[in-house]
């Protein structure tokens, strides 16, 4: 009965299936159609007729198989092939660009920070630096929702009332330095960088910070005295989107 399972899915009921197996010859020799149906319902292996129990079992098995294949095809269609060389393509749409960066962040090939500047509903200009490699951002982008500033972002600025704050994230540590301003440390690779251009080989002393105390600076006693080199390979792409006054993705290849 090869192929029988797939054919079963074309029937809406077991009764319909059995009736399809009854031939005019069967009705000629057994004139009672109901009796023929009852005989066939017992399952006739010689005629390739399944019993009701076998029919239901095979039907459910093949239905689940087909549904799994359909889901696999849908997932295959949803897969987008991202090119790491397109990270600085300013023609990308906002959602495509964020998805592209998140894809390579998740595979540990890059780390990315999003800078946004916009006017909120209170007519206040807000800007923020955001770690995009987080579950919070993934869920927003999955739902095609735009990203707006929060006070728990890496850095948050309200230019109307001059309120500002900084926070460490799962991937980055923030250090406010007298010489270069906001300094980012990528936790996984231990690399230090700023989002402003720096000369190649530039070194700074971590103790030159303006945060109050070692705890707020996030530095240990030995760490604050050492000189560190700043990475100079930060790439920048500015995206055009009507929801923002400015939208920039900063990327460091790790």
């Amino acid at each position: 009965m090869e192929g029988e399972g797939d054919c079963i899915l074309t029937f809406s009921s077991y009764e319909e299936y059995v009736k399809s197996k009854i031939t005019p010859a069967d009705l000629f020799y057994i004139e009672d159609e109901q009796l023929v149906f009852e005989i066939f319902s017992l399952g006739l292996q010689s005629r390739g007729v399944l019993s009701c129990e076998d029919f239901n079992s095979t039907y459910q098995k093949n239905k689940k198989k087909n549904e799994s294949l359909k889901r696999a095809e849908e997932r295959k269609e949803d897969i987008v092939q991202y090119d790491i060389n397109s990270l600085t393509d300013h023609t990308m749409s906002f959602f495509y660009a964020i998805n592209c960066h998140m894809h390579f962040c998740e595979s540990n090939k890059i780390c990315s920070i999003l800078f946004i500047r916009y006017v909120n509903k209170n007519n206040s200009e807000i800007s923020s630096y955001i770690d995009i490699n987080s579950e919070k951002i993934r869920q927003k982008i999955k739902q095609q929702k735009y990203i707006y500033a929060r006070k728990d972002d890496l850095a948050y600025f309200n230019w109307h009332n001059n309120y500002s704050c900084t926070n460490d994230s799962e991937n980055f540590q923030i250090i406010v330095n007298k010489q270069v301003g906001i300094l980012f440390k990528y936790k996984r690779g231990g690399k230090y960088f700023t989002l402003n251009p720096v000369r190649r080989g530039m070194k700074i002393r971590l103790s030159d910070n303006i945060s109050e105390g070692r705890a707020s600076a996030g530095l240990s006693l030995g760490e604050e005295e050492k000189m560190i080199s700043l990475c100079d390979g930060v790439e920048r792409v500015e995206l055009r989107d009507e929801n923002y006054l400015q939208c920039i993705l900063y990327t460091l290849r790790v």
Side-chain angles (χ1 to χ4, degrees):
M1 293 186 292
E2 188 175 355
E4 178 76 15
D6 292 333
C7 293
I8 281 176
L9 296 177
T10 63
F11 300 104
S12 59
S13 67
Y14 180 64
E15 181 179 359
E16 183 181 333
Y17 163 75
V18 171
K19 286 183 176 180
S20 73
K21 298 292 185 178
I22 298 174
T23 67
D26 296 324
L27 295 174
F28 177 80
Y29 289 108
I30 306 175
E31 297 179 351
D32 188 335
E33 184 176 357
Q34 182 60 32
L35 179 59
V36 175
F37 178 81
E38 291 175 359
I39 293 172
F40 274 57
S41 297
L42 297 174
L44 295 177
Q45 291 187 359
S46 60
R47 292 282 296 273
V49 181
L50 299 174
S51 66
C52 184
E53 182 180 355
D54 289 340
F55 173 86
N56 289 330
S57 174
T58 305
Y59 186 94
Q60 292 301 323
K61 179 180 177 181
N62 283 274
K63 183 180 179 182
K64 289 180 180 178
K65 178 183 175 182
N66 280 15
E67 288 174 349
S68 296
L69 290 172
K70 184 179 179 181
R71 285 194 297 270
E73 285 298 318
E74 289 174 349
R75 285 195 297 270
K76 186 176 180 181
E77 291 175 1
D78 290 340
I79 294 175
V80 179
Q81 296 297 323
Y82 295 109
D83 181 3
I84 197 167
N85 295 315
S86 68
L87 291 173
T88 55
D89 181 2
H90 69 277
T91 64
M92 291 187 291
S93 68
F94 175 79
F95 290 106
Y96 182 88
I98 298 295
N99 274 313
C100 182
H101 279 252
M102 287 196 303
H103 172 77
F104 291 110
C105 283
E106 289 170 3
S107 58
N108 300 323
K109 292 183 178 179
I110 64 170
C111 60
S112 290
I113 292 173
L114 172 68
F115 171 77
I116 54 174
R117 184 168 64 90
Y118 62 95
V119 176
N120 68 10
K121 61 183 179 181
N122 297 320
N123 209 32
S124 299
E125 186 173 320
I126 306 294
S127 60
S128 187
Y129 290 98
I130 301 167
D131 177 2
I132 66 168
N133 190 19
S134 69
E135 187 59 31
K136 175 184 69 178
I137 299 299
R138 275 189 285 274
Q139 289 303 316
K140 276 188 171 292
I141 297 303
K142 185 177 181 181
Q143 298 169 28
Q144 293 284 292
K145 292 183 178 179
Y146 279 92
I147 301 169
Y148 293 103
R150 293 164 52 104
K151 292 180 181 178
D152 60 354
D153 290 335
L154 289 170
Y156 171 93
F157 306 91
N158 183 321
W159 299 102
H160 178 72
N161 58 19
N162 291 321
Y163 175 85
S164 66
C165 61
T166 60
N167 305 278
D168 292 346
S169 72
E170 181 181 346
N171 300 294
F172 298 101
Q173 177 183 333
I174 299 291
I175 301 168
V176 182
N177 183 271
K178 290 180 181 178
Q179 188 174 352
V180 297
I182 295 179
L183 182 65
F184 297 88
K185 178 184 178 182
Y186 181 52
K187 293 180 179 180
R188 181 166 294 164
K191 293 184 176 181
Y192 293 87
F193 62 96
T194 72
L195 302 183
N196 298 315
V198 296
R199 66 178 183 273
R200 184 178 295 274
M202 180 179 178
K203 293 186 177 182
I204 63 169
R205 190 184 303 277
L206 286 181
S207 57
D208 291 337
N209 63 76
I210 59 176
S211 299
E212 295 181 1
R214 297 188 187 96
S216 60
L219 304 174
S220 64
L221 180 60
E223 188 180 20
E224 70 168 4
E225 293 302 326
K226 71 179 181 181
M227 299 289 290
I228 56 102
S229 296
L230 298 181
C231 295
D232 59 355
V234 178
E235 298 175 336
R236 176 186 187 276
V237 58
E238 184 163 359
L239 305 175
R240 302 295 181 185
D241 193 286
E242 62 182 9
N243 290 277
Y244 305 107
L245 298 175
Q246 199 171 18
C247 178
I248 303 172
L249 275 164
Y250 295 93
T251 303
L252 180 67
R253 305 201 183 209
V254 296

